Amino acid sequence: MSEEFHFADALIEAARAKSSVVVVGLDTDPRRLPQFLLGQYPTKAEAQLAFNQAIVDAVCLIVPAVKVQIAFYELLGPAGIETYQKTISYAHSKGLLVIGDIKRGDIGSTAEAYAEAHLQGEHAADAVTVNPYLGSDGILPFLQVGRRQGRGVFALVKTSNPSSSELQDLEVTDPRQRNYEVVARKIGELGADSVGKHGYSLMGAVVGATYPAEAINLRGLLPHTFFLVPGYGAQGAKAGDVAGCFDAHRSGAVVNASRSIIYAYEKSGGASLTEIGNAAAQAAKQMTNDIADALGVHRT
Amino acid sequence: MSEEFHFADALIEAARAKSSVVVVGLDTDPRRLPQFLLGQYPTKAEAQLAFNQAIVDAVCLIVPAVKVQIAFYELLGPAGIETYQKTISYAHSKGLLVIGDIKRGDIGSTAEAYAEAHLQGEHAADAVTVNPYLGSDGILPFLQVGRRQGRGVFALVKTSNPSSSELQDLEVTDPRQRNYEVVARKIGELGADSVGKHGYSLMGAVVGATYPAEAINLRGLLPHTFFLVPGYGAQGAKAGDVAGCFDAHRSGAVVNASRSIIYAYEKSGGASLTEIGNAAAQAAKQMTNDIADALGVHRT
């Protein structure tokens, strides 16, 4: 490659090329694998991989990226971690960008170990999520490792769950602002020197779709920070709720949905990988169109 | 067993039995394994396990527990996770309690998957660390899984690193208190109904030894919350700094040191597993005695 990889640039270009800002979440719960698939493979980890490959095959021309939720692979121990890595490689082979949803947060040599484990080497994702509770010490090691290869880091800012208010929304005295705004300003600073040609940095933010007012506030605070937006679908947010996450050019954010896409087949009673894939593709297209409508994009 | 396992009770009893409140941190960095050991094993993961077994053999009669830092095992992929699991099993076989330092934090079915992965089954630790940034949604699933078998959960409250102040120390307006105090009160509530016979609950707190004043404050706020205290040794805290983490009966806390114990052999140039173990045992005894002196315990 003559040009160096820059995650935010690559994501923006992939979203444009596919006319979609949807990220499919591979939250493939081994406790929810279809019975027919468990019968076809000797281990849950192998059935999980086959499931993921079917989803990737079905959505790879529709969406720019997938997000792989590592918790559902850790649940199967070493074999699950192998499926996690193989899922990343398979998604890459199908031209998808991959976000590793790991939400790690630690310091010093420990954080470096996490960063090297997840952002370096052949099985690495193109970006990972991190937890900001420990402050910059918990984020910088990831950003440093990521930057070597243009990979990205999304810090949790305002999460999509109900109890995110317990800490994130509390008002701080000096200067008066919410905790999530303190975190936002910090990551805005941390990302300032890795802004790509499309105006977004390698330091991103997780901003829940379930809090539209906070998302609008954050979009204003963080003009160069890409948003990864969870909470769509199964968690209740709709297309109109995510509009505020985007910039004036309808860029700067991607919206994740996991269960409403990968388990779409359950509604139609699908009993083959083809049906699972078809239902996922249909759900991903529908979500793509719903968000395009909410953003006022003229569809062809 | 006629009596059910309760992590805090077990830890207090083990600390009494061994007259030590020291936890040895198995932060076994594969990038820092001794050369002679790498030559003896076909893979880094196997060398890492042999290193851990030597440390466990050396300290199992001296300390009540070990803490296994999962980041250094994740770095080696599936084989590293196998070493992580085998290390837990080996420490258990030598009568040690095991804390899995995983610092996970997520919500809903994802948090349940993490909790089941790390607090359930034959390879599970006796307690894990979790990150509180997402609020109770991020802690309760761990506590629920842990409670089924009396296993514990330590939430990060005031971490040992320099930038922990960025978020954790900020003052909140209503009512005026620091963020780490907000988290502390919340986990105090969450633990209220799992208090064991020695007065401590299954919900614990990570409180850095590097912030003695905050530790004293937290000890007062959280009479039923066991403290896991990092930051001793390599991170700079000394025995006098941790005294405030303990209750009037010199209980209620354990102090972790990792690098200053497991890499103690580097100072003496040890080049065998026996020397590595001996240096670790010596360092663990010294730390045990230094803390006992600081707590005013009469040594025999």
Side-chain angles (χ1 to χ4, degrees), chain A residues 27 29 31 69-72 74-79 81-82 85 101-107 109-114 116-118 131-138 156-168 170-174 176 179-180 182-183 186 235 259, chain B residues 27 29 31 69-72 74-79 81-82 85 101-107 109-114 116-118 131-138 156-168 170-174 176 179-180 182-183 186 235 259:
Chain A
D27 296 24
D29 193 331
R31 301 163 297 190
Q69 171 50 259
I70 198 170
F72 295 112
E74 274 186 49
L75 187 49
L76 297 180
I81 297 301
E82 205 175 317
Q85 294 183 336
D101 196 357
I102 62 171
K103 295 189 180 68
R104 301 300 192 251
D106 215 302
I107 57 168
S109 59
T110 308
E112 284 164 26
Y114 275 135
E116 290 182 17
H118 295 288
N131 186 307
Y133 188 69
L134 291 91
S136 333
D137 296 337
L156 305 183
V157 174
K158 174 64 184 165
T159 59
S160 57
N161 57 306
S163 80
S164 73
S165 60
E166 288 176 8
L167 182 66
Q168 297 164 27
L170 295 180
E171 189 186 60
V172 172
T173 53
D174 183 30
R176 288 177 93 89
N179 273 326
Y180 79 81
V182 174
V183 173
K186 175 57 69 177
Q235 285 184 59
R259 288 169 282 173
Chain B
D27 296 23
D29 193 332
R31 301 163 297 190
Q69 171 49 261
I70 199 170
F72 295 111
E74 274 185 49
L75 187 49
L76 297 180
I81 297 302
E82 206 175 315
Q85 294 183 337
D101 195 357
I102 62 171
K103 295 189 179 67
R104 301 299 192 251
D106 215 303
I107 57 168
S109 60
T110 307
E112 284 165 27
Y114 275 135
E116 291 181 18
H118 296 287
N131 187 307
Y133 188 69
L134 292 90
S136 336
D137 295 338
L156 305 183
V157 175
K158 174 64 184 164
T159 59
S160 57
N161 57 307
S163 80
S164 73
S165 60
E166 287 175 8
L167 182 67
Q168 296 165 26
L170 295 180
E171 189 186 61
V172 172
T173 53
D174 183 30
R176 289 177 92 90
N179 273 325
Y180 79 82
V182 174
V183 173
K186 176 57 69 179
Q235 284 184 60
R259 287 169 282 172

Side-chain angles (χ1 to χ4, degrees), chain A residues 185-206:
Chain A
R185 288 192 169 88
K186 175 57 69 177
I187 67 161
E189 290 166 23
L190 293 177
D193 57 356
S194 64
V195 176
K197 63 184 176 187
H198 298 308
Y200 285 94
S201 84
L202 294 177
M203 181 80 244
V206 173

Side-chain angles (χ1 to χ4, degrees), chain A residues 26-112:
Chain A
L26 296 170
D27 296 24
T28 309
D29 193 331
R31 301 163 297 190
R32 199 171 168 176
L33 287 167
Q35 206 55 45
F36 80 88
L37 201 58
L38 291 170
Q40 282 174 26
Y41 291 89
T43 67
K44 279 191 181 178
E46 287 165 277
Q48 199 181 29
L49 180 62
F51 185 96
N52 286 353
Q53 289 173 333
I55 302 284
V56 164
D57 286 343
V59 304
C60 64
L61 299 178
I62 301 168
V63 302
V66 290
K67 179 172 80 63
V68 193
Q69 171 50 259
I70 198 170
F72 295 112
Y73 305 90
E74 274 186 49
L75 187 49
L76 297 180
I81 297 301
E82 205 175 317
T83 291
Y84 174 78
Q85 294 183 336
K86 286 182 175 171
T87 297
I88 291 173
S89 297
Y90 191 77
H92 278 153
S93 78
K94 295 290 175 177
L96 289 165
L97 291 164
V98 182
I99 299 166
D101 196 357
I102 62 171
K103 295 189 180 68
R104 301 300 192 251
D106 215 302
I107 57 168
S109 59
T110 308
E112 284 164 26

Side-chain angles (χ1 to χ4, degrees), chain B residues 137-204:
Chain B
D137 295 338
I139 300 171
L140 273 169
F142 288 90
L143 198 55
Q144 281 158 358
V145 171
R147 287 185 61 168
R148 287 182 210 152
Q149 288 156 307
R151 291 176 171 149
V153 179
F154 290 97
L156 305 183
V157 175
K158 174 64 184 164
T159 59
S160 57
N161 57 307
S163 80
S164 73
S165 60
E166 287 175 8
L167 182 67
Q168 296 165 26
D169 291 358
L170 295 180
E171 189 186 61
V172 172
T173 53
D174 183 30
R176 289 177 92 90
Q177 59 186 323
R178 305 283 168 184
N179 273 325
Y180 79 82
E181 295 172 306
V182 174
V183 173
R185 288 193 171 86
K186 176 57 69 179
I187 68 159
E189 290 166 21
L190 293 177
D193 58 356
S194 64
V195 176
K197 63 184 175 187
H198 298 308
Y200 285 94
S201 83
L202 294 177
M203 182 81 243

